[in-house]
Amino acid sequence: MSASSASGDGFTVVPAMWVHESARAENHVMRPFERFYTAHYQEIAGYVRRRIAPDAADDVISQVFTVAWRRFDRIPAPPQDRLWLFGVARNSVADQHRAERRRLRLHARLSQEAVTAPPVSIEADPRHVRIRAAMAALRPGDREALQLVLWEELSHQEAAAVLRCSPNAFEIRYRRARNAVRDAVAAAPLAPQADQERLIRTPTTSRTYPS
């Protein structure tokens, strides 16, 4: 069953919204929330789907907007509302990663097999394999700093706000991550420099990295 459903006007309603919909609609909350949802859905869905397996991504996206609905009267005014929502998405992705690790540990105990990670598909292009390996080797905070700028196209100031760190601390994370990935790709170059930059900026597949 889908984690969300459509109302009569086509607006997608996440499950927790049904509980309070009647009372809150009287306070004219539904329409502002619909505008908020429509304005930010594509960005948040892209953020989640680049970090979560396809079979779980829709549930995580629904969780993000469920939190937004419950706290709608406390969401900061634009443009800070967008960064607040990225922060909620980041926490939801982290929760999903923790749940997946617990599931794998339980499976390992039940099957009495040493399961350390889900299987990873190998792409034909070795450049993508090298970039994924370099990204996976980064510290989680450094990796997220790089992804927020290159994948989500946030400014450094916006990304620092999402990560709740100072601009200076963010610059250190970002430069350390970018240099590490660039060095890993340049160690055995298979493409011109311009192509290497493009590959680093482009998410190749949905991939769960260690948190």
Side-chain angles (χ1 to χ4, degrees):
M1 181 178 293
S2 172
S4 59
S5 57
S7 64
D9 58 4
F11 170 51
T12 301
V13 181
V14 295
M17 293 166 59
W18 291 113
V19 177
H20 305 292
E21 182 171 352
S22 297
R24 298 190 71 177
E26 295 175 3
N27 296 323
H28 308 288
V29 174
M30 282 299 296
R31 289 299 179 184
F33 184 82
E34 178 179 349
R35 291 193 292 270
F36 175 83
Y37 179 98
T38 302
H40 299 296
Y41 176 83
Q42 292 297 334
E43 274 192 321
I44 296 303
Y47 176 94
V48 171
R49 286 175 177 146
R50 282 187 281 272
R51 291 162 173 80
I52 294 293
D55 60 346
D58 285 344
D59 285 343
V60 175
I61 295 166
S62 290
Q63 290 169 14
V64 173
F65 284 101
T66 295
V67 172
W69 170 252
R70 289 171 174 166
R71 302 180 185 175
F72 192 52
D73 56 350
R74 288 175 280 168
I75 295 177
Q80 294 301 315
D81 58 342
R82 174 172 172 259
L83 303 182
W84 180 89
L85 197 56
F86 269 113
V88 174
R90 183 169 178 256
N91 290 338
S92 297
V93 166
D95 288 344
Q96 178 65 26
H97 287 171
R98 284 190 289 269
E100 179 64 11
R101 287 196 296 271
R102 288 194 296 269
R103 187 189 68 79
L104 289 172
R105 287 195 294 267
L106 177 60
H107 181 271
R109 288 197 297 269
L110 294 176
S111 62
Q112 297 182 342
E113 297 175 352
V115 177
T116 58
V120 176
S121 61
I122 302 300
E123 296 185 29
D125 192 336
R127 296 171 297 179
H128 292 159
V129 175
R130 186 174 297 119
I131 290 170
R132 281 207 310 275
M135 294 285 282
L138 296 173
R139 300 175 185 178
D142 292 0
R143 182 171 55 247
E144 185 71 355
L146 190 65
Q147 290 171 342
L148 285 171
V149 172
L150 299 185
W151 292 6
E152 314 309 332
E153 299 183 348
L154 299 187
S155 69
H156 288 204
Q157 184 176 359
E158 290 172 336
V162 171
L163 295 178
R164 297 183 180 181
C165 65
S166 70
N168 184 61
F170 176 82
E171 288 297 330
I172 292 172
R173 291 185 189 182
Y174 174 78
R175 293 184 184 279
R176 184 167 56 207
R178 179 155 189 145
N179 290 340
V181 174
R182 180 179 289 161
D183 290 348
V185 175
L190 295 172
Q193 181 67 26
D195 286 348
Q196 293 178 28
E197 289 288 333
R198 177 181 56 78
L199 286 166
I200 293 172
R201 284 181 173 274
T202 305
T204 55
T205 57
S206 297
R207 173 66 193 273
T208 299
Y209 292 107
S211 298

